Amino acid sequence: MNQQEAPLLAALYAHCARDYAHLHVPAHRQGEAIFPEWQGGKEILQLDLTELPGLDDLHRPEGVIARAQALAAELFGAGKTFFLVNGSTVGITALFLALCRPGEEILLPRNAHRAVLGGLVFSGAKPVFLEPVVIEEFGIAAGLTPQVVAGALEKHPLAKGLLVIHPTYYGVTGDLPQLVGLVHGLDKPVVADEAHGVHFPFHEGFPPPALQCGVDAAVQSMHKMGGSLTQSSLLHLRGNRVDVQKTARALSLLQSSSPSYLLLASLDGARRQLATKGREMLERAVDLAREVRQALSRLPGITLLGEEHLGRPGAHGLDPTRLVISLRCVGLTGYQAARILARDYRVQVEMADYYNLVMVIGIGTTRRDCELLIRGLQEVIRRVGGGQSLVTCPEQPPLPVGRLTPRQAWLAPSRPLPLEECAGHICAEWVNVSPPGIPLLYPGEEIGPEMVEYLQWVRNLSLSVQGPEDPGLASLRVVVR
């Protein structure tokens, strides 16, 4: 080993040298849309400080951090806002600890991000998974329907509340006000994973934000679309259905005891920029996205997710700056197209799945980024020619049956078992194709034969898998009975 090497640092500089088009988060685009004080570069490091006199303490804010959080709360319409330096993941986990004790049920959509696993393991809560609407043309999950939520509330009267996704990774929102009305009718809380929707309040072209829809708590990744540094997020509370002090205690337990002042300061600066220039910056992003949509809609063989795919239960709104295109008829998987765009055309997209590409037009996205994307996709389609339609992926297996809570399975003795022998066993780890990071299996769920078959298909395609001890899926870790 050569201690003069700095491989991660070198890789970052090599990536920057390629001058890629950025169609992904974080929104500031390597500083293009960062607030003015940080546009100089090196002096940012002067702010890498700690809890010194006059700089307050995140775990007991009484001074400038308290003031910064209060400004954020006023801007977003919250009663209380917490700064997060461990991403939206820590906010979701804290809400589970504030709401649930071991064995208590909580309702949540199956397409929830894997961040909920930490909340389930730490709290010991028992998840009641609800199936979202699927937009068949793209093979993607949207929101929950009122009928599904009403049925779950009737069947699980002791559930401690409902978690919703607003919007999904694909930019789709459901009928959140109606869901909130159903749950609040029983005086239960609704909490929102709004990781991809921090920009919604600042331009009328976006769906209404979660707090405006009446939720009791919302977690937002400011870094994704708001212009702060990666890993900096916000947790908003409103009303009294979610205990403020329990949430604060949970955050103090979960967040770093040495929080980065760079992350905290970036939240403060990004909040001010959204308050003073947010509409102007988002207007530009919306206009760029509209131009890109028009150009891409003329390309043969692709379909864009648009307003015409909405107006159905669970799919009411769409983030216009999040571009989802289906490649079913082109003959390439989204994974293949993303690799070709990055390798040959210097275009980095936000996410790819089997059928689709997802691109983000953020506050820092440039016209050049968009032009490179359009030209890159034109060339990809030209190269593929009249290729055959993509082979349809297997149908998602039915929801696994939960035999143990995620916490029980996580703490239980376990052992690896060849995938082909796993049917009938209880999973001891989580398994998801990444991105978008939605688990196919949670700890505590029984592995059915359909799931084994589906995971074999995932393995044969060499898709990126997160969670299991063996990412090649030759084996899964199961609970020892």
Side-chain angles (χ1 to χ4, degrees):
M1 303 291 282
N2 180 359
Q3 292 303 322
Q4 294 188 34
E5 289 184 40
L8 175 56
L9 192 60
L12 286 167
Y13 277 113
H15 179 94
C16 294
R18 286 220 58 186
D19 194 21
Y20 286 101
H22 294 240
L23 282 307
H24 55 82
V25 300
H28 62 72
R29 196 194 182 278
Q30 294 184 292
E32 292 271 352
I34 206 77
F35 42 92
E37 291 92 334
W38 282 15
Q39 288 175 350
K42 185 177 179 180
E43 61 267 25
I44 295 172
L45 298 180
Q46 298 174 9
L47 309 183
D48 189 17
L49 296 169
T50 189
E51 294 90 342
L52 301 172
L55 299 184
D56 210 355
D57 181 348
L58 178 65
H59 293 281
R60 192 176 178 180
E62 297 175 338
V64 291
I65 294 176
R67 175 66 176 169
Q69 291 184 151
L71 285 163
E74 180 187 68
L75 180 64
F76 286 93
K80 175 73 175 178
T81 293
F82 297 93
F83 281 4
L84 308 178
V85 295
N86 293 63
S88 288
T89 298
V90 78
I92 296 293
T93 303
L95 287 175
F96 274 81
L97 283 171
L99 291 174
C100 300
R101 293 180 296 182
E104 292 182 329
E105 293 180 326
I106 186 165
L107 309 179
L108 61 157
R110 186 63 189 197
N111 58 322
H113 190 269
R114 69 175 179 87
V116 305
L117 176 60
L120 293 169
V121 170
F122 275 99
S123 68
K126 181 179 180 180
V128 177
F129 288 112
L130 310 179
E131 294 209 60
V133 167
V134 173
I135 301 177
E136 297 292 348
E137 299 94 318
F138 296 82
I140 61 174
L144 299 171
T145 66
Q147 291 78 11
V148 165
V149 172
L153 289 168
E154 184 176 352
K155 189 175 179 181
H156 301 272
L158 299 181
K160 305 304 290 185
L162 170 70
L163 179 138
V164 296
I165 308 166
H166 186 84
T168 68
Y169 208 148
Y170 300 91
V172 179
T173 61
D175 189 355
L176 186 52
Q178 190 169 354
L179 300 185
V180 169
L182 283 171
V183 181
H184 281 181
L186 299 174
D187 198 26
K188 297 177 185 290
V190 180
V191 300
D193 176 350
E194 200 174 18
H196 296 277
V198 72
H199 54 308
F200 282 7
F202 303 100
H203 192 284
E204 65 279 2
F206 296 92
L211 286 175
Q212 186 179 313
C213 293
V215 302
D216 303 282
V219 182
Q220 300 171 328
S221 295
M222 177 71 97
H223 64 93
K224 283 186 167 66
M225 294 298 287
S228 67
L229 297 184
T230 295
Q231 203 172 306
S232 57
S233 297
L234 301 170
L235 168 55
H236 306 294
L237 300 184
R238 185 178 179 185
N240 57 11
R241 289 189 181 88
V242 179
D243 190 291
V244 174
Q245 292 308 317
K246 280 187 177 180
T247 306
R249 291 200 303 272
L251 287 172
S252 189
L253 173 71
L254 296 166
Q255 296 218 86
S256 170
S257 60
S258 301
S260 166
Y261 270 76
L262 295 179
L263 297 182
L264 296 172
S266 79
L267 284 169
D268 197 27
R271 182 271 315 156
R272 184 186 63 186
Q273 180 168 262
L274 285 175
T276 58
K277 299 180 181 177
R279 194 192 182 285
E280 171 190 342
M281 299 176 85
L282 288 166
E283 176 76 10
R284 178 181 165 279
V286 168
D287 287 345
L288 266 180
R290 187 182 301 114
E291 292 176 21
V292 176
R293 281 181 179 275
Q294 290 172 352
L296 295 183
S297 68
R298 294 191 286 267
L299 298 183
I302 69 170
T303 306
L304 275 95
L305 179 64
E307 298 290 334
E308 64 274 18
H309 300 106
L310 306 179
R312 64 187 81 183
H316 279 244
L318 181 66
D319 181 344
T321 61
R322 192 160 286 245
L323 308 179
V324 181
I325 66 169
S326 170
L327 298 165
R328 280 183 197 242
C329 298
V330 175
L332 290 175
T333 67
Y335 306 113
Q336 291 169 327
R339 285 195 292 269
I340 294 170
L341 285 171
R343 183 191 65 212
D344 298 343
Y345 302 103
R346 292 183 295 121
V347 174
Q348 295 282 358
V349 301
E350 168 66 13
M351 192 266 278
D353 63 24
Y354 185 70
Y355 290 127
N356 310 299
L357 289 176
V358 179
M359 286 77 65
V360 173
I361 310 293
I363 57 175
T365 304
T366 65
R367 186 168 295 279
R368 174 182 173 273
D369 291 334
C370 298
E371 291 169 351
L372 286 175
L373 169 67
I374 294 166
R375 285 203 298 269
L377 280 170
Q378 286 173 336
E379 285 298 306
V380 168
I381 292 171
R382 184 188 62 79
R383 285 168 56 175
V384 173
Q388 294 182 345
S389 294
L390 198 61
V391 174
T392 302
C393 71
E395 191 172 325
Q396 283 265 6
L399 282 183
V401 177
R403 300 300 184 188
L404 300 172
T405 67
R407 178 182 177 86
Q408 289 169 333
W410 189 269
L411 298 176
S414 62
R415 65 184 177 93
L417 192 67
L419 178 60
E420 288 71 18
E421 301 175 21
C422 284
H425 289 266
I426 297 173
C427 195
E429 53 191 357
W430 53 275
V431 182
N432 72 257
V433 178
S434 181
I438 297 164
L440 294 164
L441 279 169
Y442 276 86
E445 293 182 333
E446 183 175 321
I447 306 166
E450 301 95 340
M451 182 62 72
V452 170
E453 185 177 336
Y454 190 87
L455 292 177
Q456 288 171 328
W457 175 80
V458 168
R459 182 178 65 188
N460 292 340
L461 279 183
S462 299
L463 303 185
S464 176
V465 176
Q466 288 186 345
E469 186 176 82
D470 175 12
L473 292 180
S475 66
L476 289 179
R477 183 162 284 276
V478 301
V479 172
V480 174
R481 291 184 280 185

